[in-house]
């Protein structure tokens, strides 16, 4: 029987809210067994770019990362990573902050120009160095991953944090019973973001494609769900999309205010 591994990806909207971030870290610290944290930070990177007068460009929820923007995201994500490590250490979580460049843990390739869209210094993961993560987890060290990879030629690459979480979950599913949790601002996948009662508690790929075509699912939710379904295909046992409140209540069997991917 495989040992359980809980992978959690938390978004910048949560990290940018001190109260929500504190509640999230409290809940993460209480997770028993092996665990791994992946963080985003796109909201903070955008705020920093605005303050520097650098234009933020997005295509279907994915950031265009030109020469100026890669410097912004490196500064932003590195700062977030070390703050999270410090806060988790304060909660007695033995952890280490990482990017995909550390230990050659996640080499990637620069995304090619496609259909006229040049994403710049954006990386598509080529592989996950599973043994690197297994060794850390075996020592009860919690990896805290920033959304940066590298191309093997000296360049850091901006890589979607949902993608990093999905790739890790898929790669480690051969060794662990993996559950992947995407923590963000909403209760889960919503039919109407303005209606708190429109939560879709369970969604399959055909539902997703239909809702995407109908314009119900748009923007940053598209790469999130693409990665969620990819993770299931790669062998993860469970994928959930939920907010901090639901994440804090996961041990309560009556709590199911989130979206399950299947």
């Amino acid at each position: 029987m495989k040992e359980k591994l809980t992978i959690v990806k938390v978004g910048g909207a949560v990290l940018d809210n001190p109260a929500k971030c504190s509640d999230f870290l409290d809940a993460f610290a209480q997770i028993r067994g092996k665990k791994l944290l992946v963080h985003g930070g796109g909201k903070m990177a955008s705020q920093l770019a605005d303050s520097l007068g650098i234009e933020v460009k997005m295509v279907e929820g994915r950031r265009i990362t030109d020469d100026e923007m890669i410097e912004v995201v490196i500064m932003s994500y590195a700062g977030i990573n070390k703050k999270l490590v410090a806060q988790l250490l304060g909660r007695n979580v033995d952890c280490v902050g990482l990017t995909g460049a550390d230990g050659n843990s996640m080499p990637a390739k620069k995304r090619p120009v496609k259909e006229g869209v040049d994403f710049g210094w954006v990386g598509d993961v080529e592989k996950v160095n599973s043994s690197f993560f297994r060794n850390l987890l075996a020592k009860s060290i919690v990896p805290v991953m920033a959304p940066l990879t590298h191309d093997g030629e000296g360049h850091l690459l901006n890589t979607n944090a949902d993608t990093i979480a999905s790739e890790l979950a898929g790669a480690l599913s051969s060794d662990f019973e993996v559950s992947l949790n995407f923590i963000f601002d909403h209760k889960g996948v919503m039919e109407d973001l303005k209606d708190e009662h429109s939560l879709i508690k369970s969604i399959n790929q055909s539902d997703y494609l239909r809702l995407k075509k109908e314009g119900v699912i748009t923007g940053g939710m598209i790469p999130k769900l693409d990665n969620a379904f990819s993770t299931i295909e790669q062998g993860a046992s469970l994928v959930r999309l939920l907010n901090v409140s639901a994440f804090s209540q996961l041990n309560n069997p009556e709590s199911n205010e989130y979206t399950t991917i299947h």
Side-chain angles (χ1 to χ4, degrees), residues 32-182:
R32 295 180 180 179
K34 308 296 187 191
K35 55 191 173 185
L36 188 156
L37 178 60
V38 179
H39 68 82
K43 183 176 181 181
M44 287 83 106
S46 294
Q47 291 170 346
L48 179 57
D50 286 341
S51 71
L52 296 171
I54 297 171
E55 183 182 1
V56 176
K57 302 173 185 176
M58 308 287 286
V59 176
E60 284 199 333
R62 297 186 185 272
R63 185 182 304 271
I64 302 291
T65 309
D66 57 19
D67 290 343
E68 287 185 311
M69 188 59 71
I70 189 62
E71 298 301 326
V72 170
V73 299
I74 290 170
M75 286 188 289
S76 182
Y77 299 164
I80 293 166
N81 187 266
K82 295 313 170 189
K83 286 181 180 179
L84 287 175
V85 167
Q87 291 175 74
L88 286 170
L89 289 170
R91 290 168 169 81
N92 297 313
V93 177
D94 191 3
C95 58
V96 60
L98 301 167
T99 70
D102 296 294
N104 195 30
S105 60
M106 197 170 286
K109 60 182 178 181
K110 187 173 181 287
R111 182 173 300 170
V113 177
K114 188 176 180 180
E115 296 178 358
V117 179
D118 183 356
F119 281 94
W121 297 106
V122 167
D124 293 320
V125 177
E126 289 193 299
K127 66 178 181 178
V128 173
N129 186 348
S130 299
S131 63
F132 176 82
F133 292 99
R134 284 198 306 270
N135 289 337
L136 290 174
L137 294 166
K139 297 174 183 176
S140 297
I141 297 173
V142 177
V144 180
M145 288 290 295
L148 294 165
T149 55
H150 78 114
D151 65 359
E153 298 179 3
H155 303 110
L156 285 172
L157 300 172
N158 183 22
T159 299
N160 183 275
D162 293 339
T163 300
I164 286 181
S166 177
E167 292 286 344
L168 283 166
L172 294 170
S173 289
S174 59
D175 300 294
F176 299 93
E177 181 184 333
V178 176
S179 64
L180 174 59
N181 302 271
F182 291 104

